């Protein structure tokens, strides 16, 4: 064995029989093996100890302990040498080819990187293009998706309708209706059919009920079985379910007949004759009502259906009218005469439809068509135009200022001139025309039109009044005043009407949203302290007050002129009553009283009761102060003068107004109380004077005055009146 490396156990000593040549061969073999094996397989050991151990193990395996085996060394060395040469050749070959392969691989990798970068750039560009295209195509995709959904839905509908069509073909429902002579075109036919039914009617009606119920069960989709929507959304029709299928089938022959007669170039299709097709619809509703109520409604009730057969039938027919109106109105929108006639006929139709046939306001009706923006604005314009024309006509009429009821006392309390009554009738008619509009906003627009017309009429009355100012007591002036009062009174009554109260609430909501009114005004509207007509009423009341004041001033001037002599009466030197046979009216008072009497009689005949009451009360107020200041305070009175004044006032002036009130003296407080003071007995006058001087401004003085019936005059006024007396005793008082 070969000696071990450092730290290895010493090998056994070689045998003595071993020759020196053999030892040399073994050393040479060891070196070659080490060179050949160690460089490839032993090099993994990484140190001499490992290499020596590997070589020792290899020799032990190949040669062993038998020295005879050393003969194999030459062959083994030769074999190892060949292996070494072969390995060297391989190493040389590999060492020359590997750089080329690495260089080629690197070149391929670089080219691949370049191609990859190009592909990445192309990918980014393509991705940007795709995203841009998708973004621009998204609306198309959305539309296309919606269209595809619609197409799929329509396909389902078509399939469903095909089944229904096949079911209808299998049904003999229409044949049953034909046996009953449906539809009933004339009133006599409907009555005959409703009363004198055929002999086989029990079987027919039993079959009718069966088929009707079967068709009713097919009503599974309102959207599928609804009538085709020929009306645009601009008409804002209320949402409603489709007409039930059996009623639709019953309507079919009438729909065909209607469209045949009132479409195209038929002689019955005339724009100027809307009453033809409107009357036709009303007649059909009336003709079929008995049959629907007596035969169809019980079937629906038995099937626990909430449908009203008559209203369902009417609703189906009315859709024909709405469709017809929507087609005709654009053709006559700017022909005032035709358009106004159409509106009139539609309103008459609506009135009969609701009042006679009980058609609900909540269903689609003709007012929804008239409420469409273009049509509605045209309606407002035409309504205003014709109203103004009528106002011109009524004011220029010969009978404009004459009451229609002037010869009927009980009826003519308001003494309303014809023009005012005609005008308010016009406003009332306008109210009736727009009352059934479906929305509050449309009604409020008509209300504004009415208020504009009232203001226009007030201005016209003011203009005519100014022409009559010089004759403020004349017939026409009084007629204008009566007209103003009547319009104001009627508007005040309307303000409490439920319809206008509802409009007031609607207006309140609009004003609150738009912030067009102050909080105070909104509060007044909400609490009903004010009304929708308050602005107009206030203007009319102001005009009425101005006109009344002008009349009162005119009469008062005449009274003052007539009282000039009475003011200068010699009140100091008139004889006492004991010196006269009987008291009589002062001659100087006659012009004053006659003027008053004549003017009161004149205005009582020309003014209505409420106006005349305002007039004489305003006049009395001025007259009381005038007589007190200009007649009483401007003179001194002896006993006879005071008594004469009291007689003139209490027995002649006051009674002029007794026809208008029970106690006219209460309206002449200054004059009445002055007469009391001037006609006190001397003792009472002295006592009163003492009380006033000793208790001036204290309750005893007031109590003393009240005891005498003096409430209006102040203590200072009573002192002045006492000093106007001349019949004092010679006591120096």
């Amino acid at each position: 064995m070969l000696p071990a490396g450092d730290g290895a156990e010493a090998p056994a000593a070689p045998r003595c029989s071993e020759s020196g040549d053999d030892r040399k061969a073994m050393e040479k073999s060891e070196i070659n093996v080490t060179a050949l094996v160690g460089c490839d397989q032993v090099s993994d050991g990484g140190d001499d100890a490992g290499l020596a151990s590997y070589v020792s193990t290899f020799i032990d395996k190949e040669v062993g302990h038998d020295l005879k085996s050393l003969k194999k060394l030459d062959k083994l060395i030769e074999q190892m040498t060949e292996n070494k040469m072969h390995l060297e050749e391989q190493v040389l070959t590999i060492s020359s080819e590997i750089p080329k392969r690495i260089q080629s691989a690197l070149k391929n990798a670089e080219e691949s990187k370049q191609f990859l970068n190009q592909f990445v750039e192309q990918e980014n560009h393509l991705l940007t293009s795709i995203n841009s295209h998708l973004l621009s195509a998204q609306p198309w995709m959305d539309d296309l998706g919606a269209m595809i959904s619609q197409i799929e839905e329509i396909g389902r509908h078509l399939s469903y309708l095909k089944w229904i069509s096949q079911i209808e073909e299998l049904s003999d429902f229409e044949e049953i209706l034909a046996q009953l002579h449906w539809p009933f075109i004339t009133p006599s036919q409907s009555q005959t059919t409703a009363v004198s039914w055929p002999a086989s009617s029990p079987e027919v009606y039993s079959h009718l009920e069966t088929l009707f119920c079967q068709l009713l069960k097919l009503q599974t989709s309102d959207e599928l079985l609804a009538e085709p929507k020929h009306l645009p959304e601009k008409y804002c029709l209320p949402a409603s379910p489709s007409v039930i299928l059996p009623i639709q089938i019953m309507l079919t022959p009438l729909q065909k007949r209607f469209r045949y007669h009132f479409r195209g170039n038929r002689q019955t299709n005339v724009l100027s004759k809307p009453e033809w097709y409107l009357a036709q619809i009303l007649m059909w509703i009336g003709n079929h009502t008995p049959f629907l109520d007596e035969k169809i409604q019980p079937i629906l009730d038995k099937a626990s259906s909430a449908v009203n057969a008559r209203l369902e039938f009417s609703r189906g027919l009315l859709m024909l009218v709405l469709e017809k109106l929507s087609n005709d109105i654009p053709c006559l929108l700017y022909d005032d005469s035709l358009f106004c006639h159409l509106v009139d006929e539609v309103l008459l139709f609506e009135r009969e439809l609701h009042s006679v046939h009980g058609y609900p306001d909540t269903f689609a009706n003709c007012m929804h068509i008239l409420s469409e923006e273009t049509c509605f604005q045209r309606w407002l314009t035409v309504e205003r135009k014709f109203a103004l024309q009528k106002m011109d006509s009524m004011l220029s009429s010969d009978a404009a200022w004459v009451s229609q009821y002037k010869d009927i006392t009980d009826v003519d309390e308001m003494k309303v001139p014809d023009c005012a009554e005609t005008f308010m009738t016009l406003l009332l008619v306008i109210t009736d025309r727009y009352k059934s509009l479906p929305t509050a906003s449309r009604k409020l627009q008509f209300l504004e039109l009415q208020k504009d017309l009232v203001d226009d009429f007030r201005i016209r009355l003011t203009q005519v009044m100014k022409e009559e100012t010089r004759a403020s007591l004349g017939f026409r002036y009084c007629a204008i005043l009566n007209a103003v009062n009547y319009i104001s009174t009627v508007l005040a009554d309307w303000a409490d009407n439920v319809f206008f109260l509802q409009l007031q609430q609607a207006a309140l909501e609009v004003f609150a949203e738009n912030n067009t009114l102050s909080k105070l005004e909104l509060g007044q509207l909400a609490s009903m302290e004010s009304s929708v007509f308050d602005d107009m009423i206030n203007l009319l009341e102001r005009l009425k007050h101005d006109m009344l004041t002008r009349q009162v001033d005119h009469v008062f001037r005449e009274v003052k002129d007539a009282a000039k002599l009475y003011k200068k009466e010699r009140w100091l030197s008139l004889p006492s009553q004991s010196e006269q046979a009987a008291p009589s009216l002062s001659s100087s008072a006659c012009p004053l009283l006659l003027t008053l009497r004549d003017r009161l009689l004149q205005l009582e005949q020309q003014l209505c009761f409420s106006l005349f009451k305002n007039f004489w009360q305003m006049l009395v107020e001025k007259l009381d102060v005038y007589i007190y200041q200009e007649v009483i305070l401007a003179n001194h009175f002896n006993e006879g003068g005071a008594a004469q004044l009291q007689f003139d006032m209490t027995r002649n002036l006051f009674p002029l107004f007794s026809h208008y009130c029970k106690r006219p003296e209460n309206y002449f407080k200054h004059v009445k109380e002055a007469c009391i003071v001037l006609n006190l007995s001397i003792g009472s006058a002295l006592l009163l004077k003492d009380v006033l001087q000793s208790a001036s401004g204290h309750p005893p003085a007031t109590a003393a005055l009240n005891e005498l019936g003096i409430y209006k005059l102040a203590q200072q006024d009573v002192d002045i009146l006492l000093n106007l007396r001349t019949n004092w005793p010679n006591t120096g008082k």
Side-chain angles (χ1 to χ4, degrees), residues 611-671:
L611 284 176
F612 180 68
K613 182 179 179 180
N614 291 338
F615 167 80
W616 71 257
Q617 290 180 353
M618 293 169 64
L619 179 62
V620 163
E621 184 179 356
K622 296 173 73 71
L623 190 58
D624 178 45
V625 174
Y626 174 76
I627 294 176
Y628 176 70
Q629 293 179 347
E630 301 296 329
V631 177
I632 298 176
L633 295 181
N635 290 284
H636 287 75
F637 297 84
N638 65 0
E639 182 182 353
Q644 185 63 50
L645 176 68
Q646 187 172 32
F647 181 81
D648 292 343
M649 298 296 105
T650 59
R651 301 295 296 277
N652 293 279
L653 177 62
F654 297 170
L656 281 178
F657 298 90
S658 62
H659 181 63
Y660 316 124
C661 62
K662 292 182 179 180
R663 299 179 62 85
E665 63 273 12
N666 289 337
Y667 291 92
F668 290 91
K669 287 183 168 47
H670 291 91
V671 173

Side-chain angles (χ1 to χ4, degrees), residues 555-592:
V555 174
F556 185 61
R557 284 195 301 270
E558 291 184 345
V559 170
K560 288 194 298 182
D561 289 341
K564 288 179 179 179
L565 293 177
Y566 193 66
K567 288 171 54 179
K568 297 177 181 179
E569 188 68 53
R570 300 184 64 184
W571 305 104
L572 280 172
S573 57
L574 290 179
S576 63
Q577 289 185 349
S578 60
E579 298 174 0
Q580 300 179 25
S584 61
L585 176 65
S586 300
S587 60
S588 59
C590 289
L592 163 65

Side-chain angles (χ1 to χ4, degrees), residues 1-16:
M1 295 290 293
L2 292 174
D6 292 340
E9 193 174 294
R15 298 179 180 179
C16 294

Side-chain angles (χ1 to χ4, degrees), residues 159-192:
S159 177
Y160 187 86
L161 291 175
K162 287 178 181 178
W163 280 106
I164 290 182
S165 177
Q166 293 179 10
I167 293 172
E168 287 180 350
E169 290 177 1
L170 296 175
S171 170
D172 57 352
F173 186 64
E174 292 179 349
E175 293 177 2
I176 293 295
L177 293 176
Q179 293 179 32
L180 296 173
H181 308 290
W182 181 276
F184 311 141
I185 304 303
T186 62
S188 59
Q189 182 186 0
S190 67
Q191 292 173 3
T192 301

Side-chain angles (χ1 to χ4, degrees), residues 578-612:
S578 60
E579 298 174 0
Q580 300 179 25
S584 61
L585 176 65
S586 300
S587 60
S588 59
C590 289
L592 163 65
L593 297 176
L594 287 173
T595 301
L596 271 176
R597 184 199 66 181
D598 293 343
R599 290 310 187 192
L600 288 173
L601 288 175
Q602 176 188 354
L603 292 174
E604 183 183 15
Q605 293 176 353
Q606 295 182 168
L607 295 178
C608 70
F609 176 79
S610 61
L611 284 176
F612 180 68

Side-chain angles (χ1 to χ4, degrees), residues 403 405-406 408-416 482 485-486 604-612:
S403 173
Y405 314 104
K406 62 179 179 178
I408 309 175
T409 307
D410 296 339
V411 180
D412 197 33
E413 290 183 0
M414 296 289 289
K415 293 183 170 62
V416 186
N482 286 330
N485 179 70
Y486 174 70
E604 183 183 15
Q605 293 176 353
Q606 295 182 168
L607 295 178
C608 70
F609 176 79
S610 61
L611 284 176
F612 180 68

